[in-house]
């Protein structure tokens, strides 16, 4: 009797272009396993919004596996220990998995030792393969992009297997419902299903639709009111579609190349945390360790106002309310909202990172950390601290009026001329809060804080 092999699934919940699955099928009967590990990641245990997505993505994957003659086995606990025990239980001597960049997953991979076979498949190029002339990791995206481009295109995607060989006996599986991944009442994720359909099938449908409309991407991607972004980030995060599938799907024209650069940014972020695994908690530039962030009751009140979309800045509030309602925020608005928290409110970027980690369906360790540190100016490759986004100017420049009306209903009746700053125009509705800090005051406070660093 051929011994089974384990397929360890994490953020690679797909059958198409799944190198670990293909390799496992070539060795014998395959037992696909997902381990809900809330212990190994520690502080980085999967956030609440991601848990909603995970529940539905696992359900979709289980159905897809059944269509191929297989089952999805669910277990809880420390991944390395659970997989080791399951290998003993089933007689499996080999575990196949796709390589991950997160430090806790790398630790689990190391713990599994030689019985684990790792495969590349969640990035455009193998993790750690795009290096400088001296063999180090790139710290600047533009240089990374040039080096990565020399390795592109990434090759053809692998087809899904026609059938997955099954073991003679399946091990016991926990029930997905028993994991209680969906929030209990009051269910703040109740409307997520209006915007999202997790799973591989939807990821490919959405990719096909975006590829057909990619011509509008470069011109409209910064307009919050336009439906021009791909909205594929949570599908990418959970590995329901591979980056190379998307690279090959979009045209090589200007708009398509801009999107391909966004895919490359994911590779850059993942490679950066290979070299700096604690990037989600530590400033990339040590100089900023001495920055005096605001703390105390006033700062805590401002943080709560930011989280709830009650800052008095319509574009910021619209973004934060969109985040709470849908688990996602327009990319341009993410930068505006993040800059406002760090610069205008002088609140530590890690507070914002934690909030995004819990409320974004696409919260990704590398992307989240690198993006926050880019906006904050604390990162290895980042915006200058002195470049402070003016949210009111950004709102008008990127025509956010319709977007604001959608997410801040108190301002629905405000005129087009006043929608970006109703307080300054003297028409702020009583139900909408006054600005918690004036733009010039916040900007000056941020500049002074940085000046004290010397």
């Amino acid at each position: 009797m051929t011994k089974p092999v384990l397929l360890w699934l994490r953020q690679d919940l797909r059958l198409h272009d799944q190198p670990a699955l293909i390799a496992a099928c070539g060795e014998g009967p395959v037992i696909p396993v997902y381990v809900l590990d809330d212990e190994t990641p520690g502080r980085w245990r999967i956030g609440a919004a991601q848990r909603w997505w995970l529940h539905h993505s696992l359900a979709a994957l289980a159905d897809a596996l059944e269509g191929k003659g297989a089952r999805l086995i669910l277990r809880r606990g420390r991944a390395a220990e659970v997989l080791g025990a399951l290998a003993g239980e089933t007689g499996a001597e080999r575990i196949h998995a796709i390589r991950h960049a997160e430090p806790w997953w790398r630790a689990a991979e190391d713990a599994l030792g030689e019985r684990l076979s790792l495969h590349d498949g969640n990035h455009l190029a193998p993790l750690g393969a795009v290096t400088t002339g001296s063999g180090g990791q790139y710290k600047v995206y533009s240089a990374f992009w040039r080096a990565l481009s020399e390795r592109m295109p990434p090759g053809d995607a692998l087809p899904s297997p026609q059938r997955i060989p099954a073991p003679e006996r399946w091990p016991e599986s926990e029930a997905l419902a028993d994991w209680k991944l969906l929030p209990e009442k009051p269910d703040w994720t109740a409307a997520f299903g209006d915007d999202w359909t997790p799973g591989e099938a939807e990821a490919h449908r959405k990719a096909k639709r975006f590829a057909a409309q990619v011509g509008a991407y470069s011109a409209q991607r910064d307009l919050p009111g336009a439906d021009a972004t791909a909205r594929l980030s949570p599908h990418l995060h959970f590995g329901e579609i591979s980056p190379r599938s998307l690279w090959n799907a979009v045209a090589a024209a200007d708009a398509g190349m801009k999107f391909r650069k966004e895919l490359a940014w994911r590779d850059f972020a993942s490679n950066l945390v290979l070299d700096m695994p604690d990037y989600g908690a530590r400033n990339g530039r040590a100089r900023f360790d001495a920055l005096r962030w605001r703390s105390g009751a006033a700062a805590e009140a401002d943080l709560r106002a930011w989280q709830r979309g009650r800052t008095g800045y319509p574009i910021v509030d619209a973004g934060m309310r969109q985040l709470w309602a849908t688990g996602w925020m327009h990319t341009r608005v993410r930068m505006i909202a993040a800059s406002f928290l760090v610069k205008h409110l002088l609140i530590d970027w890690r507070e914002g990172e934690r909030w995004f980690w819990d409320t974004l369906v696409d919260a990704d360790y590398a992307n989240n950390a690198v993006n926050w540190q880019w906006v904050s100016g604390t990162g290895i490759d980042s915006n200058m601290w002195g470049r402070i986004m003016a949210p009111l100017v950004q709102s008008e420049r990127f025509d956010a009026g319709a977007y604001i009306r959608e997410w801040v209903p108190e301002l629905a009746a405000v005129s087009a001329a006043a929608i970006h700053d109703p307080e300054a125009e003297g028409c702020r509705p009583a139900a909408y809060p006054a600005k918690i800090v004036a733009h010039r005051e916040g900007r000056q406070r941020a500049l002074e804080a940085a000046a004290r660093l010397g």
Side-chain angles (χ1 to χ4, degrees), residues 251-269:
D254 179 61
M257 189 54 69
K258 286 187 180 296
F259 180 72
R260 287 176 173 180
K261 287 183 177 180
E262 298 297 328
L263 293 175
W265 179 266
R266 294 180 69 256
D267 272 40
F268 171 68

Side-chain angles (χ1 to χ4, degrees), residues 25-326:
C25 287
E27 290 191 7
V30 179
I31 301 176
V33 186
Y34 183 90
V35 181
L36 181 62
D37 187 346
D38 285 331
E39 300 175 58
T40 304
R43 140 83 177 88
W44 305 104
R45 69 188 292 271
I46 189 170
Q50 291 179 74
R51 293 173 104 80
W52 176 90
W53 190 285
L54 178 63
H55 173 94
H56 295 291
S57 188
L58 289 175
L61 180 62
D63 288 344
L65 285 168
E66 287 187 14
K68 301 288 185 179
R71 298 181 188 176
L72 178 61
I73 303 302
L74 303 177
R75 296 285 176 97
R76 271 182 295 191
R78 290 188 176 275
E81 296 174 4
V82 170
L83 289 165
L86 186 59
E89 177 185 335
T90 61
E93 296 179 350
R94 179 66 58 191
I95 304 168
H96 288 274
I98 287 182
R99 183 177 283 105
H100 282 52
E102 292 82 356
W104 55 91
W105 289 139
R106 292 168 65 195
E109 292 167 0
D110 289 343
L112 287 168
E114 294 182 356
R115 58 186 158 182
L116 177 65
S117 291
L118 288 170
H119 307 267
D120 293 293
N122 272 13
H123 299 86
L124 295 171
L127 279 171
V130 182
T131 57
T132 65
S134 61
Q137 297 296 323
Y138 282 98
K139 301 298 193 297
V140 177
Y141 169 72
S142 57
F144 176 86
W145 165 248
R146 287 193 296 270
L148 176 68
S149 297
E150 295 177 358
R151 303 176 67 101
M152 295 294 103
D156 295 331
L158 300 172
S160 304
Q162 292 296 314
R163 295 288 293 177
I164 299 174
E168 291 187 357
R169 183 177 65 85
W170 287 98
E172 291 295 321
S173 174
E174 297 181 36
L176 181 59
D178 290 344
W179 285 2
K180 299 186 183 301
L181 296 172
L182 302 178
E184 298 180 353
K185 293 182 179 180
D187 183 1
W188 66 280
T189 66
F192 280 18
D194 297 340
D195 281 77
W196 305 106
T197 302
E200 182 177 7
E202 177 64 15
H204 282 274
R205 279 194 293 268
K206 194 176 292 183
K208 184 177 181 180
R209 186 165 57 246
F210 174 69
Q213 303 169 352
V214 73
Y217 181 70
S218 60
Q220 299 184 11
R221 63 179 182 149
D222 282 324
L223 305 178
D227 186 19
T229 59
R231 293 177 67 89
L232 282 161
S233 52
H235 297 287
L236 274 167
H237 169 69
F238 282 94
E240 296 170 350
I241 191 169
S242 70
R244 70 176 169 187
S245 292
L246 282 175
W247 176 283
N248 293 332
V250 299
D254 179 61
M257 189 54 69
K258 286 187 180 296
F259 180 72
R260 287 176 173 180
K261 287 183 177 180
E262 298 297 328
L263 293 175
W265 179 266
R266 294 180 69 256
D267 272 40
F268 171 68
S270 293
N271 279 275
L272 189 59
V273 301
L274 283 180
D275 197 49
M276 303 179 69
D278 58 351
Y279 204 71
R282 179 171 66 87
N283 292 320
R285 298 179 187 272
R287 170 174 176 260
F288 285 93
D289 291 347
L291 185 72
R292 295 185 61 185
W293 301 103
R294 291 175 61 224
S295 61
E300 290 174 5
D302 286 349
L303 175 61
R304 287 194 298 272
W306 177 81
Q307 291 170 339
R308 297 169 182 173
R310 302 282 296 173
T311 68
Y313 286 78
I315 184 65
V316 174
D317 294 340
M320 298 306 295
R321 295 187 195 187
Q322 181 187 32
L323 171 61
W324 184 256
T326 70

Side-chain angles (χ1 to χ4, degrees), residues 424-443:
E425 298 296 328
C427 58
R428 176 178 63 84
Y432 185 67
K435 296 187 183 79
I436 58 176
V437 64
H439 170 62
R440 289 189 178 182
E441 175 191 342
R443 184 177 186 279

